[in-house]
Amino acid sequence: MKSLFNNTYTEIILDSGQRVGYRAYDDVLHLWRGAYTSREQEEYLRWEDVASAIEGLMQDGLWAEPMEQLTLQVDVPEEPNQDEDYIPNLFDLAGSTIPLVSEPVASTAPIRPLVAQNVIDVALTLGANDPESRLRIIAEFMKGKTQEENAEFLEKHYGENGAGFYVGERKYSLWYNKAGMQIAPGESAKGFNAAAVTWEQAAERIRELLDEGKYAGQTMLYRAWPFEKNRVAEALQYLHRDIDEDFKDTYLPTLTATLRGSFGYPDVVDKTKELLEQPEQLQAVIGEFTDFMKDYAHNRHILRFRHRPDEIAQGLQDMQCTPLKFTASPDFAPVERFFISQDEIDALLREPPDHYDYRIGVYNFFEQHPDRKEREKYLSHLHGEYSGYHGGNDNITYTHKELIFTHGDIIEPYAAVKMKWSQVRKRIEALIKKDAFLSPEDREIMESRPRETPVDEPSATPVKSEFPSEEDAKKHDILMANTKAHFASYDEVKQARPSDIVLFQRGDFFEMYGPDARVASVELDIHLTNRNIPELGRVAMCGVPAKDLDKYVEKLRKEHGVTISAVPENGTERQIYFLPSYSDMSEDKSSPSSKEMESEQVVGAAPQMVPSVEEYARIKERFPERVVGVQNGDTIYFYGTDAEKAGPALNRNVLMRDIPGMGAVSITGDAESWQASQEKLLRHGIDLVFVRLDDDGKYEVITASTAAEYIPVGMVLDVDRRRCRIESVDFQQDAVRLAVLDSGYSLTESVRYVREYVEEAYDKELEKAAQEEKSRLFAGQVMGDVERLTEPEQASTVRELYGHYKEILWGKLMEDEALQNACQNSDRQNAMDEGHNAVERAAKDLGIAQGDMQFYQLYFGNTSFHNQLKEELANEGYDAYMALSAELSPWGVEIGNHSPWGIVQTTQELTDGVFKVSTPRHGGIMVR
């Protein structure tokens, strides 16, 4: 394929008069529309996609030899070495080298579709990215509306997304948005070879397919209208339930009377549907709903939450029609093979349009960190560990190794793709290179943000265009102020209801932050992301659409109390609603005065909840500032104010119980291991001590830890290969401020993320201490061996032999290809394991193959000699190979020369070009 295209800038006039151009590169074909300097659109295609597109045109009978297709005449300036026998070579195109100077010649050649009609029909039968999409579409077309109305519905229903599907053995991709549909062979529908279908054309053809019986099977056609009636009944019931208590008796009395005595969902929906199926009752409901809408237009406080009354009104009106009947053709066969298109993957990697902080963060990190491994590690940590529902037909799983994107059932998906983080990194790099990662809105936000200069680097010479205008600066200040004010309002509600999950309305979504977001993302199977909060950094966040609020609240209330902060439509003042969890409703916890009830009014505590009161008081006196947890069986219990602190951190409800000797007291518990409970509390900045009864009936301390030990402020540690110091920690906002020592920048990371590196630093300290102890013991053992030798010359022989054989084995290690490969292509632990193996191989070769019995007896008969020699050689071998693979500055290895550790005092050549040097500070391995 590459041989068909010029590797110079080439522009062409199509038969339609459109000016396009291309240039071939080693990896991709660059295409653009319009003149290059003012191009309207551009695309980079992989060569396999180009081949697939041409193959598809051939199979569909739409490809002919270029000279047979076109006879376009243009004036082309002569260029040296131009091929006089040049043949136009790009799909329906005639080639010429820029610049083109003549006007396009009019042509009567027909415009040929790039995708066959049967493929377009298959794409139309897929529906949108929702399991019930086709039912919704069929039901809408059963209403007998005009083509314009159906087109308007399709545009709104589909939104923006894509799909990948097979026709026979060939792959096709679909992408749709407000403009309509694009369909193309291959794994992307956004290339030059896509067929475009407007929503008007889609509406017309879908109706034809329904009439022909080629849109869906008969079972789905039967289900469509009952599905529509259930959908309208459910929406009406949700709105009825959210009418404010002051207006309950005023609006929709027919529905109120019907639902009186109903148990709950789905009983209320079934009764609503039965009501709407009765023509007279339906007319009554329509009349009452019309009255409701008139009043609602002037008083938005009638409803507690936001709904779409106009859509419900239209749905009620549609219930009066007699639905059209469609019959499936006996030979209709639905699509059975799907794949996830590249367009869908790209949309996932870019995240939704309003996640601008995510895209800008990734873009900036990639711009500042060219190292591939750093980028991959950043992406892995950014997404964390997650698995669950991602909306529509989508499921997403993030692990530390890979991303898994599936359609359909999460256990048995009908389409799936797995991407290692290296593949994710490569694709994001490609999108950035094509200028397809950031949206225009992202760039506006970036341009409005002031640039930061490291404190220890001199500022560049000011360039006027690099600084935001006064207007842009004001926009940025307003944006950041609004975000900060919004979060401060949320935090005020959360402080008042710490044990509830707080849903805070922002536009058409209700958002949750921090621990609430982490819990809700798991229990609701929704996507967890981060939001950049001024002065706090990234904060965990998830959200649910306002239109689906009831559904999600019902799920949360199974285990949690819920607080909702909502803004009525066209209102400005927030309204707060408290909803207790269903498990605690019988205890009447919703009343703020529940903690003040007399003990005889409170339920008695179960026996396993009751501590040894005297012992508990003794521990609290000993640790007055710490949260005390009492282990009884598999559960850690907390009491009083400790329970109020621990409950939200552990994501557990706080109950009121009567405990003999303590009275009415708050109590909560965690049934996970005490280690897991400790981790949760420390992550929230809570100092703790856990105890349990010993054999004498006394409380013994299991663990005592503080937040200061968990994230030690002032500690210097390596975070992603950067030397950082912990400046501050805000456990409540899950934010740790790090100062990057070699740049002057500062970072904000999550508590859990920084804790990983704190543990790593602690492990290194333990390893160092263990190594020092090991060296001390080895020295003692060697001296013991020496003292046991009777003759003085034998003592010197032991020391000399150790150095002699170490030098021989060192030479063998420097020739060990397996060790070299491990050091250059693996991490230190794996390389050290291979180093130990390499020493063993060299020792066996010297002692057995070469028959050096003296070495054999020393190495395999003296444990101290064996272990120390093996460890030293493995460590020094790794350092030497890493030094060989690095690009070091031209320091010197002679005494008095400069080295990375200071002035060289002693030097020893280990092998050709590799030296061991010592300095007043340290020393190490150097390569000439």
Side-chain angles (χ1 to χ4, degrees):
M1 295 311 306
K2 294 180 186 178
S3 66
L4 296 180
F5 298 89
N6 297 331
N7 61 1
T8 57
Y9 290 96
T10 303
E11 291 201 348
I12 296 158
I13 301 296
L14 301 181
D15 282 354
S16 62
Q18 174 67 57
R19 184 184 184 121
V20 297
Y22 75 86
R23 181 178 180 180
Y25 293 90
D26 287 341
D27 299 326
V28 295
L29 177 66
H30 182 194
L31 298 162
W32 61 88
R33 179 180 290 127
Y36 181 79
T37 55
S38 58
R39 51 195 182 279
E40 306 162 12
Q41 183 181 354
E42 63 182 340
E43 182 74 19
Y44 292 84
L45 293 180
R46 297 175 301 178
W47 288 111
E48 51 264 39
D49 292 335
V50 176
S52 176
I54 292 180
E55 181 186 8
L57 292 170
M58 289 178 174
Q59 292 183 8
D60 294 337
L62 304 176
W63 173 266
E65 289 299 321
M67 289 301 290
E68 296 176 355
Q69 289 182 309
L70 300 168
T71 54
L72 179 64
Q73 297 179 358
V74 292
D75 294 329
V76 183
E78 290 189 3
E79 290 189 1
N81 301 323
Q82 185 171 1
D83 186 355
E84 295 179 359
D85 297 324
Y86 171 75
I87 297 176
N89 52 26
L90 182 64
F91 319 37
D92 283 352
L93 308 181
S96 62
T97 304
I98 58 172
L100 297 177
V101 296
S102 67
E103 295 297 321
V105 178
S107 173
T108 59
I111 299 176
R112 299 171 176 174
L114 296 176
V115 177
Q117 184 61 49
N118 71 303
V119 176
I120 296 175
D121 290 348
V122 170
L124 291 173
T125 64
L126 299 180
N129 184 33
D130 187 282
E132 297 170 334
S133 172
R134 289 199 293 163
L135 289 171
R136 183 84 173 87
I137 293 170
I138 295 168
E140 193 68 21
F141 276 75
M142 283 180 166
K143 299 172 183 177
K145 296 186 177 183
T146 66
Q147 182 175 312
E148 290 75 15
E149 290 174 316
N150 287 335
E152 184 180 349
F153 162 77
L154 290 175
E155 178 185 339
K156 186 175 182 180
H157 173 70
Y158 269 82
E160 183 168 6
N161 213 308
F165 60 98
Y166 284 84
V167 176
E169 295 300 317
R170 292 193 56 205
K171 285 183 174 181
Y172 289 88
S173 295
L174 165 68
W175 189 258
Y176 43 84
N177 53 28
K178 292 180 66 175
M181 293 180 167
Q182 291 176 262
I183 308 158
E187 298 188 1
S188 174
K190 296 184 177 181
F192 68 96
N193 58 337
V197 179
T198 67
W199 290 119
E200 289 75 15
Q201 294 170 328
E204 180 182 8
R205 185 55 183 160
I206 288 175
R207 177 57 193 270
E208 291 173 355
L209 291 172
L210 284 166
D211 289 336
E212 296 168 7
K214 296 180 179 179
Y215 185 82
Q218 194 61 52
T219 301
M220 182 168 287
L221 293 174
Y222 283 146
R223 290 175 53 208
W225 194 247
F227 165 82
E228 179 68 4
K229 291 193 293 185
N230 192 83
R231 186 187 69 83
V232 174
E234 188 176 57
L236 178 61
Q237 184 274 321
Y238 279 147
L239 180 142
H240 177 265
R241 191 179 68 177
D242 282 341
I243 294 176
D244 192 90
E245 292 296 332
D246 294 340
F247 302 98
K248 279 288 187 186
D249 297 331
T250 306
Y251 300 106
L252 304 179
T254 301
L255 183 58
T256 301
T258 300
L259 298 181
R260 189 172 290 119
S262 299
F263 177 72
Y265 186 92
D267 183 40
V268 289
V269 177
D270 292 337
K271 288 192 174 184
T272 304
K273 184 166 58 175
E274 292 172 5
L275 175 70
L276 300 181
E277 289 172 345
Q278 304 172 44
E280 293 182 2
Q281 300 283 30
L282 174 59
Q283 286 297 329
V285 172
I286 290 175
E288 293 166 5
F289 199 84
T290 302
D291 294 338
F292 157 78
M293 288 193 65
K294 289 178 182 177
D295 291 350
Y296 183 66
H298 302 288
N299 182 8
R300 298 295 182 176
H301 294 289
I302 295 174
L303 291 178
R304 291 186 298 165
F305 305 121
R306 186 174 298 181
H307 289 264
R308 293 187 172 89
D310 53 339
E311 292 186 6
I312 298 174
Q314 185 60 57
L316 291 172
Q317 292 290 343
D318 292 341
M319 288 295 100
Q320 299 179 98
C321 76
T322 300
L324 299 175
K325 294 186 181 298
F326 300 115
T327 303
S329 172
D331 59 353
F332 172 76
V335 176
E336 296 181 351
R337 292 181 63 197
F338 298 87
F339 67 93
I340 297 179
S341 68
Q342 186 63 60
D343 301 328
E344 295 174 272
I345 295 171
D346 291 348
L348 174 69
L349 299 183
R350 295 184 70 248
E351 294 204 357
D354 61 339
H355 289 193
Y356 54 84
D357 273 327
Y358 161 79
R359 286 186 296 278
I360 293 173
V362 172
Y363 181 87
N364 287 337
F365 189 91
F366 274 42
E367 190 177 53
Q368 299 166 12
H369 300 82
D371 184 77
R372 293 176 298 173
K373 293 297 182 184
E374 282 192 20
R375 290 177 174 181
E376 291 162 18
K377 191 170 184 180
Y378 169 79
L379 292 171
S380 175
H381 281 294
L382 181 63
H383 291 284
E385 300 275 344
Y386 170 81
S387 181
Y389 178 62
H390 195 61
N393 291 310
D394 302 344
N395 307 292
I396 192 73
T397 297
Y398 296 112
T399 72
H400 70 285
K401 292 183 178 180
E402 61 189 357
L403 174 160
I404 306 172
F405 185 22
T406 64
H407 288 339
D409 186 84
I410 195 168
I411 305 300
E412 297 181 357
Y414 63 80
V417 63
K418 292 184 179 182
M419 298 178 71
K420 301 290 186 184
W421 289 113
S422 58
Q423 296 172 294
V424 175
R425 183 259 306 162
K426 289 178 183 177
R427 185 56 189 168
I428 291 178
E429 288 172 345
L431 291 172
I432 291 174
K433 183 178 180 180
K434 294 194 303 180
D435 198 20
F437 187 71
L438 296 177
S439 68
E441 293 77 12
D442 297 338
R443 293 196 175 278
E444 287 182 11
I445 293 171
M446 287 180 65
E447 291 171 3
S448 70
R449 291 178 175 175
R451 299 176 181 270
E452 295 182 0
T453 304
V455 295
D456 60 345
E457 294 181 8
S459 300
T461 304
V463 179
K464 185 175 182 180
S465 62
E466 292 184 358
F467 289 88
S469 66
E470 184 176 351
E471 181 180 356
D472 288 338
K474 288 181 179 178
K475 288 181 180 178
H476 172 264
D477 291 342
I478 293 172
L479 175 66
M480 291 294 100
N482 288 343
T483 302
K484 184 177 179 181
H486 168 82
F487 190 80
S489 299
Y490 160 83
D491 193 49
E492 183 178 344
V493 177
K494 183 62 182 176
Q495 291 291 339
R497 305 289 293 187
S499 60
D500 282 4
I501 288 183
V502 175
L503 292 101
F504 198 82
Q505 187 174 9
R506 190 173 192 184
D508 291 333
F509 278 79
F510 280 83
E511 298 178 342
M512 292 156 278
Y513 299 94
D516 287 0
R518 294 188 181 88
V519 172
S521 67
V522 175
E523 297 191 5
L524 301 179
D525 274 348
I526 57 178
H527 184 58
L528 181 68
T529 184
N530 294 283
R531 172 162 290 167
N532 187 36
I533 306 297
E535 300 179 9
L536 296 177
R538 296 200 311 271
V539 175
M541 187 274 285
C542 67
V544 298
K547 65 182 180 67
D548 297 327
L549 178 66
D550 293 312
K551 177 173 66 175
Y552 290 112
V553 167
E554 292 297 303
K555 291 182 179 180
L556 290 173
R557 290 183 67 191
K558 292 179 181 178
E559 299 290 339
H560 311 280
V562 174
T563 295
I564 299 170
S565 175
V567 180
E569 194 169 351
N570 295 335
T572 56
E573 187 175 348
R574 285 192 172 273
Q575 297 181 2
I576 312 296
Y577 304 94
F578 308 115
L579 302 172
S581 68
Y582 289 131
S583 60
D584 296 331
M585 285 179 68
S586 61
E587 300 167 17
D588 194 22
K589 284 180 57 184
S590 58
S591 170
S593 61
S594 61
K595 296 179 183 179
E596 302 170 3
M597 294 190 301
E598 295 297 326
S599 61
E600 58 267 17
Q601 296 176 294
V602 181
V603 178
Q608 66 270 20
M609 295 182 178
V610 178
S612 172
V613 177
E614 291 183 2
E615 279 296 295
Y616 179 79
R618 180 178 66 84
I619 295 296
K620 279 302 296 181
E621 184 178 356
R622 181 180 170 190
F623 299 99
E625 303 300 324
R626 299 195 188 188
V627 166
V628 174
V630 178
Q631 186 180 48
N632 191 357
D634 295 330
T635 303
I636 301 283
Y637 292 102
F638 304 86
Y639 306 94
T641 56
D642 289 354
E644 298 293 337
K645 293 179 182 178
L650 298 171
N651 192 32
R652 294 291 182 264
N653 292 317
V654 180
L655 310 177
M656 290 296 294
R657 290 292 185 265
D658 185 19
I659 297 178
M662 298 178 73
V665 64
S666 300
I667 182 172
T668 192
D670 192 25
E672 293 192 57
S673 67
W674 66 260
Q675 293 91 340
S677 301
Q678 174 181 251
E679 178 74 14
K680 291 178 188 176
L681 294 178
L682 290 173
R683 202 181 302 148
H684 286 78
I686 297 174
D687 298 342
L688 60 91
V689 58
F690 291 170
V691 298
R692 63 187 170 202
L693 284 174
D694 61 16
D695 294 337
D696 298 327
K698 302 289 187 181
Y699 277 147
E700 62 177 357
V701 175
I702 306 172
T703 182
S705 303
T706 66
E709 297 167 341
Y710 189 73
I711 302 291
V713 174
M715 183 178 189
V716 176
L717 66 167
D718 294 317
V719 178
D720 282 342
R721 300 183 184 179
R722 291 170 293 188
R723 199 69 172 161
C724 299
R725 181 178 60 249
I726 300 175
E727 293 289 285
S728 63
V729 56
D730 188 332
F731 289 101
Q732 185 176 355
Q733 302 300 337
D734 190 22
V736 181
R737 197 75 172 173
L738 301 170
V740 183
L741 299 182
D742 59 352
S743 70
Y745 286 112
S746 60
L747 307 170
T748 300
E749 300 288 359
S750 68
V751 171
R752 177 180 291 183
Y753 181 70
V754 175
R755 176 61 185 176
E756 292 179 8
Y757 290 99
V758 171
E759 291 177 352
E760 186 178 293
Y762 285 155
D763 290 342
K764 287 181 179 179
E765 289 183 9
L766 292 174
E767 288 177 7
K768 182 179 179 182
Q771 186 62 38
E772 291 175 352
E773 177 64 14
K774 188 175 181 180
S775 299
R776 187 186 64 78
L777 292 174
F778 169 72
Q781 290 170 344
V782 170
M783 291 309 298
D785 292 340
V786 171
E787 290 173 0
R788 284 192 292 273
L789 296 173
T790 56
E791 298 181 7
E793 58 271 20
Q794 287 180 308
S796 65
T797 301
V798 173
R799 299 189 186 93
E800 292 170 359
L801 288 175
Y802 182 86
H804 170 69
Y805 284 122
K806 180 179 178 181
E807 195 170 325
I808 294 175
L809 294 183
W810 175 262
K812 294 180 179 293
L813 254 62
M814 290 297 98
E815 299 172 356
D816 193 298
E817 293 184 1
L819 175 59
Q820 181 178 358
N821 181 62
C823 291
Q824 295 176 346
N825 299 292
S826 186
D827 57 25
R828 183 180 182 95
Q829 185 57 52
N830 288 329
M832 287 296 295
D833 292 342
E834 186 57 42
H836 294 147
N837 295 334
V839 175
E840 288 292 305
R841 289 193 292 269
K844 289 177 181 177
D845 180 66
L846 178 61
I848 299 175
Q850 298 183 28
D852 190 328
M853 297 308 297
Q854 184 179 34
F855 170 75
Y856 184 89
Q857 291 173 352
L858 277 171
Y859 187 82
F860 294 102
N862 187 315
T863 303
S864 301
F865 187 98
H866 170 279
N867 291 344
Q868 185 68 8
L869 186 59
K870 183 176 179 179
E871 197 66 28
E872 279 190 7
L873 284 170
N875 274 290
E876 293 176 11
Y878 174 81
D879 291 339
Y881 274 120
M882 292 306 292
L884 283 167
S885 63
E887 296 181 2
L888 301 179
S889 301
W891 293 296
V893 296
E894 305 297 332
I895 295 175
N897 288 161
H898 288 279
S899 78
W901 309 281
I903 303 298
V904 176
Q905 287 186 330
T906 65
T907 182
Q908 174 190 359
E909 187 169 11
L910 303 176
T911 187
D912 187 27
V914 181
F915 297 81
K916 183 174 183 180
V917 303
S918 65
T919 71
R921 291 176 52 201
H922 190 276
I925 303 297
M926 297 187 70
V927 180
R928 188 186 296 279

